[in-house]
Amino acid sequence: QVQLVESGGGLVQVGGSLRLSCAASGSIYSVTRMAWYRQAPGKQRELVARIFGTGTTNYLDSVKGRFTISRDNAKRMVSLQMNSLKPEDTAVYYCYVKTPYSEEYWGQGTQVTVSS
């Protein structure tokens, strides 16, 4: 069984920073794609950032220059450093991983609230 455990969410003021982390455990031995998604109330889940095994990254336009995704393959972890946070960044953030066998896993979600 595979588990993704997220941490680092919380309440922060506009302009503040948070760092989200996600650790994969269980029967998962290699990972290709790792990503963070978010879902705000009444909105569809959207891709925030993703990182491939090559180190290539992609970002949602609205977070470019403010968020940075990184991964630690040895620890099977992915992190999201979020700076200059805005109220529109408020959402539940989900960790996502995909294996070379096309298995997909999601974390349970962590709330990020940016107050003005």
Side-chain angles (χ1 to χ4, degrees), residues 2 7 12 14 25 34 37-38 41-43 47 62 71 77 80-81 104 107 114-115:
V2 175
S7 61
V12 65
V14 170
S25 63
M34 308 183 84
Y37 285 74
R38 69 185 181 188
K43 295 188 176 181
L47 175 65
S62 62
R71 61 190 284 170
M77 288 185 64
L80 186 68
Q81 178 66 42
E104 298 178 307
V114 184
S115 68

mmCIF file of all heavy atoms in Angstrom, residues 2 7 12 14 25 34 37-38 41-43 47 62 71 77 80-81 104 107 114-115:
data_model
loop_
_atom_site.group_PDB
_atom_site.id
_atom_site.type_symbol
_atom_site.label_atom_id
_atom_site.label_comp_id
_atom_site.label_asym_id
_atom_site.label_seq_id
_atom_site.Cartn_x
_atom_site.Cartn_y
_atom_site.Cartn_z
ATOM 1 N N VAL A 2 0.497 2.205 -0.778
ATOM 2 C CA VAL A 2 1.270 3.434 -0.908
ATOM 3 C C VAL A 2 0.551 4.566 -0.191
ATOM 4 O O VAL A 2 -0.669 4.705 -0.295
ATOM 5 C CB VAL A 2 1.465 3.802 -2.385
ATOM 6 C CG1 VAL A 2 2.155 5.150 -2.523
ATOM 7 C CG2 VAL A 2 2.274 2.708 -3.091
ATOM 8 N N SER A 7 2.568 17.752 4.589
ATOM 9 C CA SER A 7 2.716 18.606 5.762
ATOM 10 C C SER A 7 3.072 20.008 5.306
ATOM 11 O O SER A 7 3.503 20.212 4.167
ATOM 12 C CB SER A 7 3.801 18.058 6.690
ATOM 13 O OG SER A 7 5.051 18.014 6.025
ATOM 14 N N VAL A 12 -1.483 31.967 6.691
ATOM 15 C CA VAL A 12 -0.397 32.923 6.527
ATOM 16 C C VAL A 12 -0.969 34.230 5.991
ATOM 17 O O VAL A 12 -2.010 34.235 5.326
ATOM 18 C CB VAL A 12 0.683 32.358 5.576
ATOM 19 C CG1 VAL A 12 0.137 32.176 4.171
ATOM 20 C CG2 VAL A 12 1.937 33.206 5.578
ATOM 21 N N VAL A 14 -0.940 37.753 3.714
ATOM 22 C CA VAL A 14 -0.532 38.120 2.351
ATOM 23 C C VAL A 14 0.945 38.513 2.337
ATOM 24 O O VAL A 14 1.415 39.232 3.206
ATOM 25 C CB VAL A 14 -1.388 39.295 1.837
ATOM 26 C CG1 VAL A 14 -0.824 39.837 0.540
ATOM 27 C CG2 VAL A 14 -2.828 38.846 1.620
ATOM 28 N N SER A 25 5.486 6.711 1.018
ATOM 29 C CA SER A 25 5.924 5.520 1.738
ATOM 30 C C SER A 25 5.134 4.313 1.259
ATOM 31 O O SER A 25 4.106 4.444 0.609
ATOM 32 C CB SER A 25 5.734 5.697 3.248
ATOM 33 O OG SER A 25 4.366 5.855 3.546
ATOM 34 N N MET A 34 6.238 14.005 -10.206
ATOM 35 C CA MET A 34 5.737 14.446 -8.905
ATOM 36 C C MET A 34 5.157 15.835 -9.091
ATOM 37 O O MET A 34 5.691 16.631 -9.884
ATOM 38 C CB MET A 34 6.849 14.460 -7.859
ATOM 39 C CG MET A 34 7.612 13.136 -7.763
ATOM 40 S SD MET A 34 8.853 13.117 -6.466
ATOM 41 C CE MET A 34 7.842 12.669 -5.052
ATOM 42 N N TYR A 37 -1.107 19.866 -6.871
ATOM 43 C CA TYR A 37 -2.344 20.415 -7.399
ATOM 44 C C TYR A 37 -3.014 21.195 -6.278
ATOM 45 O O TYR A 37 -2.665 21.052 -5.105
ATOM 46 C CB TYR A 37 -3.280 19.292 -7.855
ATOM 47 C CG TYR A 37 -2.892 18.623 -9.145
ATOM 48 C CD1 TYR A 37 -1.815 17.735 -9.194
ATOM 49 C CD2 TYR A 37 -3.611 18.841 -10.317
ATOM 50 C CE1 TYR A 37 -1.458 17.107 -10.372
ATOM 51 C CE2 TYR A 37 -3.267 18.210 -11.505
ATOM 52 C CZ TYR A 37 -2.195 17.345 -11.525
ATOM 53 O OH TYR A 37 -1.851 16.716 -12.707
ATOM 54 N N ARG A 38 -3.998 21.999 -6.638
ATOM 55 C CA ARG A 38 -4.791 22.682 -5.620
ATOM 56 C C ARG A 38 -6.226 22.791 -6.073
ATOM 57 O O ARG A 38 -6.521 22.773 -7.269
ATOM 58 C CB ARG A 38 -4.222 24.064 -5.300
ATOM 59 C CG ARG A 38 -4.362 25.098 -6.418
ATOM 60 C CD ARG A 38 -3.645 26.383 -6.036
ATOM 61 N NE ARG A 38 -3.783 27.411 -7.073
ATOM 62 C CZ ARG A 38 -3.128 28.567 -7.055
ATOM 63 N NH1 ARG A 38 -2.275 28.851 -6.057
ATOM 64 N NH2 ARG A 38 -3.306 29.445 -8.022
ATOM 65 N N PRO A 41 -12.469 26.369 -3.114
ATOM 66 C CA PRO A 41 -13.911 26.110 -3.015
ATOM 67 C C PRO A 41 -14.643 26.524 -4.293
ATOM 68 O O PRO A 41 -14.449 27.640 -4.789
ATOM 69 C CB PRO A 41 -14.339 26.957 -1.819
ATOM 70 C CG PRO A 41 -13.104 27.080 -0.999
ATOM 71 C CD PRO A 41 -11.974 27.144 -1.969
ATOM 72 N N GLY A 42 -15.454 25.618 -4.826
ATOM 73 C CA GLY A 42 -16.237 25.925 -6.005
ATOM 74 C C GLY A 42 -15.468 25.912 -7.306
ATOM 75 O O GLY A 42 -16.026 26.246 -8.356
ATOM 76 N N LYS A 43 -14.211 25.507 -7.246
ATOM 77 C CA LYS A 43 -13.394 25.485 -8.455
ATOM 78 C C LYS A 43 -12.856 24.085 -8.717
ATOM 79 O O LYS A 43 -12.819 23.237 -7.830
ATOM 80 C CB LYS A 43 -12.233 26.477 -8.339
ATOM 81 C CG LYS A 43 -12.675 27.928 -8.263
ATOM 82 C CD LYS A 43 -11.478 28.858 -8.341
ATOM 83 C CE LYS A 43 -11.917 30.313 -8.359
ATOM 84 N NZ LYS A 43 -10.746 31.241 -8.454
ATOM 85 N N LEU A 47 -3.453 22.057 -11.738
ATOM 86 C CA LEU A 47 -2.038 21.754 -11.567
ATOM 87 C C LEU A 47 -1.290 23.036 -11.201
ATOM 88 O O LEU A 47 -1.357 24.022 -11.924
ATOM 89 C CB LEU A 47 -1.474 21.167 -12.852
ATOM 90 C CG LEU A 47 0.029 20.910 -12.878
ATOM 91 C CD1 LEU A 47 0.408 19.845 -11.864
ATOM 92 C CD2 LEU A 47 0.464 20.482 -14.282
ATOM 93 N N SER A 62 0.161 31.694 -12.915
ATOM 94 C CA SER A 62 -0.058 32.632 -11.816
ATOM 95 C C SER A 62 0.906 32.431 -10.641
ATOM 96 O O SER A 62 0.968 33.282 -9.753
ATOM 97 C CB SER A 62 -1.504 32.534 -11.313
ATOM 98 O OG SER A 62 -1.767 31.238 -10.810
ATOM 99 N N ARG A 71 12.430 18.067 -5.549
ATOM 100 C CA ARG A 71 12.232 16.686 -5.161
ATOM 101 C C ARG A 71 13.523 16.087 -4.628
ATOM 102 O O ARG A 71 14.619 16.513 -5.005
ATOM 103 C CB ARG A 71 11.719 15.856 -6.339
ATOM 104 C CG ARG A 71 12.648 15.792 -7.531
ATOM 105 C CD ARG A 71 11.952 15.148 -8.732
ATOM 106 N NE ARG A 71 11.856 13.695 -8.604
ATOM 107 C CZ ARG A 71 11.134 12.927 -9.425
ATOM 108 N NH1 ARG A 71 10.431 13.482 -10.409
ATOM 109 N NH2 ARG A 71 11.111 11.615 -9.271
ATOM 110 N N MET A 77 10.508 12.310 -1.755
ATOM 111 C CA MET A 77 9.791 13.486 -1.264
ATOM 112 C C MET A 77 9.715 14.548 -2.345
ATOM 113 O O MET A 77 10.598 14.682 -3.191
ATOM 114 C CB MET A 77 10.510 14.069 -0.051
ATOM 115 C CG MET A 77 10.398 13.241 1.209
ATOM 116 S SD MET A 77 11.140 14.076 2.626
ATOM 117 C CE MET A 77 10.077 15.513 2.766
ATOM 118 N N LEU A 80 7.135 22.048 -2.059
ATOM 119 C CA LEU A 80 6.697 23.246 -2.780
ATOM 120 C C LEU A 80 6.955 24.445 -1.884
ATOM 121 O O LEU A 80 6.303 24.596 -0.858
ATOM 122 C CB LEU A 80 5.211 23.156 -3.144
ATOM 123 C CG LEU A 80 4.682 24.293 -4.013
ATOM 124 C CD1 LEU A 80 5.286 24.214 -5.408
ATOM 125 C CD2 LEU A 80 3.156 24.243 -4.090
ATOM 126 N N GLN A 81 7.910 25.259 -2.276
ATOM 127 C CA GLN A 81 8.185 26.499 -1.555
ATOM 128 C C GLN A 81 7.306 27.584 -2.155
ATOM 129 O O GLN A 81 7.385 27.851 -3.365
ATOM 130 C CB GLN A 81 9.663 26.870 -1.690
ATOM 131 C CG GLN A 81 10.025 28.178 -1.006
ATOM 132 C CD GLN A 81 9.877 28.120 0.494
ATOM 133 O OE1 GLN A 81 10.241 27.130 1.130
ATOM 134 N NE2 GLN A 81 9.317 29.174 1.070
ATOM 135 N N GLU A 104 -0.857 6.007 -10.202
ATOM 136 C CA GLU A 104 -1.003 7.378 -9.725
ATOM 137 C C GLU A 104 -1.501 7.374 -8.284
ATOM 138 O O GLU A 104 -2.399 6.583 -7.947
ATOM 139 C CB GLU A 104 -1.988 8.144 -10.611
ATOM 140 C CG GLU A 104 -1.532 8.255 -12.065
ATOM 141 C CD GLU A 104 -2.543 8.971 -12.921
ATOM 142 O OE1 GLU A 104 -3.713 8.559 -12.914
ATOM 143 O OE2 GLU A 104 -2.162 9.951 -13.588
ATOM 144 N N GLY A 107 -2.136 12.565 -2.290
ATOM 145 C CA GLY A 107 -2.142 12.799 -0.862
ATOM 146 C C GLY A 107 -3.537 13.170 -0.401
ATOM 147 O O GLY A 107 -4.453 13.334 -1.214
ATOM 148 N N VAL A 114 -4.547 32.072 2.880
ATOM 149 C CA VAL A 114 -3.807 33.325 2.857
ATOM 150 C C VAL A 114 -4.784 34.441 3.221
ATOM 151 O O VAL A 114 -5.758 34.676 2.500
ATOM 152 C CB VAL A 114 -3.186 33.585 1.479
ATOM 153 C CG1 VAL A 114 -2.339 34.858 1.517
ATOM 154 C CG2 VAL A 114 -2.343 32.393 1.043
ATOM 155 N N SER A 115 -4.532 35.096 4.317
ATOM 156 C CA SER A 115 -5.455 36.120 4.809
ATOM 157 C C SER A 115 -4.947 37.509 4.461
ATOM 158 O O SER A 115 -3.748 37.783 4.449
ATOM 159 C CB SER A 115 -5.622 36.001 6.316
ATOM 160 O OG SER A 115 -4.422 36.347 6.975
#
